């Protein structure tokens, strides 16, 4: 009866770890992802068909064996995927790098995984991310549908076009596509899909795929916009850059032996400026206008490559709030994806530092630098 009520694949694995009888009562997850890898034909000029992958952003809690222990519990942020036979694969939530080293054995009876958000990504058949695709979200056709295949995918292509693909369809549907509009981010908040352009205009996409402006435009002067859901509210993070924002330009693709364009050569960024400041805005529902947020209090914003989300530092012992974690410059577009590519912006003094030089801020990510704290 318990096993039939498990809706998380991680919970299923923890359930099976209890003992041999529990393990035999529930079978392993049958596929590599909750949504099986889908082969999608993308709008041109991308000619190869990538795969659709889903991972889960989790808070990983260390559960003490002794319930009377006075020591405080520890938690970390981690991205969870799965390989064959139900084995977990852990990734850094920002860089997407697989975490192959763990300072201790990850016994699923001693660690609890709390789902925070979902992340979606398109990868080429060779396993690389697809250039020219900014962001991908899952779009449920109907929340009341009992058919698990009643879903679609919304994506931003080439920083200009919005496109939609319905499960089972042979092609994508382009939603408009004004060359004067450059879309930066797309997200789901309160079961609605929102998209923001570079001028700060936020629109929502209806179930019938109409794109409707959501409240007045921000008209803020930053060079890159991110959408973050926090406590049920939608925030816009405006990133100020030290140079002109990169634009995608077509180049002649190189062909491999299977006559496919190799990944990461169909489009290339012409410039990758670095962030010098951030502004955060929240919609005032009463007055119908955007207001600037001066402090995030105990909240932390994480601007990932495929998923942006928020957490409370109260859920992570010893972690500082009122800050934004992000990737920057050339690191953001694919080179040097390591701990050194992550930066932290602190709203209190508006300072920016590499995560590598402020180790106290790195404790929010797994694996911990201080093994004794586990």
């Amino acid at each position: 009866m318990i096993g039939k009520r498990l809706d998380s694949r991680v919970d299923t694995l923890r359930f099976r770890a209890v003992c041999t009888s529990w393990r035999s009562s529930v079978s392993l997850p049958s596929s590599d992802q909750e949504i099986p890898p889908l082969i999608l034909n993308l709008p041109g000029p991308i000619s190869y068909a990538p795969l659709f992958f889903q991972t889960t952003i989790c808070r990983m809690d260390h559960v003490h064996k002794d319930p009377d222990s006075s020591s405080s519990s520890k938690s970390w942020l981690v991205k969870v995927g799965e390989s064959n036979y139900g084995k977990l694969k852990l990734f850094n939530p920002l860089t997407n790098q697989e975490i192959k080293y763990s300072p201790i054995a990850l016994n699923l009876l001693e660690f609890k995984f709390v789902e925070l958000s979902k992340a979606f990504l398109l990868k080429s058949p060779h396993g690389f991310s697809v250039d020219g695709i900014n962001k991908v979200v899952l779009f449920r056709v109907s929340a009341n549908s009992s058919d698990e295949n009643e879903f679609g995918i919304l994506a931003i292509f080439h920083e200009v076009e919005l496109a939609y693909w319905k499960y089972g369809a042979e092609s994508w549907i382009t939603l408009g596509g004004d060359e004067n509009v450059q879309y930066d981010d797309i997200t789901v908040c309160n079961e609605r899909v929102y998209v923001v352009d570079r001028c700060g205009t936020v629109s929502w996409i209806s179930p019938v795929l109409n794109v409707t402006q959501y409240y007045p435009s921000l008209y803020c002067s930053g060079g890159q916009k991110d959408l973050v859901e926090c406590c049920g509210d939608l925030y816009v993070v405006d990133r100020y850059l030290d140079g002109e924002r990169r634009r995608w330009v077509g180049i002649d693709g190189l062909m491999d032996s299977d006559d496919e364009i190799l990944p990461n050569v169909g489009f290339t960024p012409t410039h990758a400026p670095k962030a010098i400041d951030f502004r955060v805005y929240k919609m005032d529902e009463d007055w119908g206008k955007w207001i600037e947020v001066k402090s995030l209090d105990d909240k932390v914003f994480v601007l990932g490559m495929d998923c942006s989300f928020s957490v409370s530092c109260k859920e992570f012992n010893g972690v500082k709030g009122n800050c934004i974690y992000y990737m920057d410059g050339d690191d953001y577009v694919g080179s040097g994806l390591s701990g050194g590519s992550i930066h932290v912006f602190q709203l209190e003094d508006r300072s920016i530092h590499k995560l590598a030089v402020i180790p106290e801020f790195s404790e929010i990510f797994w694996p911990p630098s201080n093994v004794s704290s586990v």
Side-chain angles (χ1 to χ4, degrees), residues 74-76 318-319 359-366 368-370 373:
K74 289 287 295 182
S75 300
W76 302 270
V319 172
E360 65 271 20
F361 281 83
S362 66
E363 293 304 311
I364 193 172
F365 298 113
W366 179 268
S369 57
N370 184 6
S373 64

Side-chain angles (χ1 to χ4, degrees), residues 156-178:
I156 299 175
F157 287 92
H158 320 141
E159 300 185 350
V160 177
E161 293 181 330
L162 288 172
Y164 170 74
W165 177 86
K166 184 179 180 181
Y167 182 85
E170 294 184 358
S171 61
W172 290 70
I173 300 174
T174 302
L175 310 183
D178 185 346

Side-chain angles (χ1 to χ4, degrees), residues 295-300 320-324 345-348:
S295 173
L296 299 179
D297 298 323
D298 67 312
K299 300 301 187 293
V300 174
K320 296 183 179 182
N322 197 26
C323 64
I324 298 172
F345 173 77
Q346 301 180 62
L347 274 74
E348 182 178 6

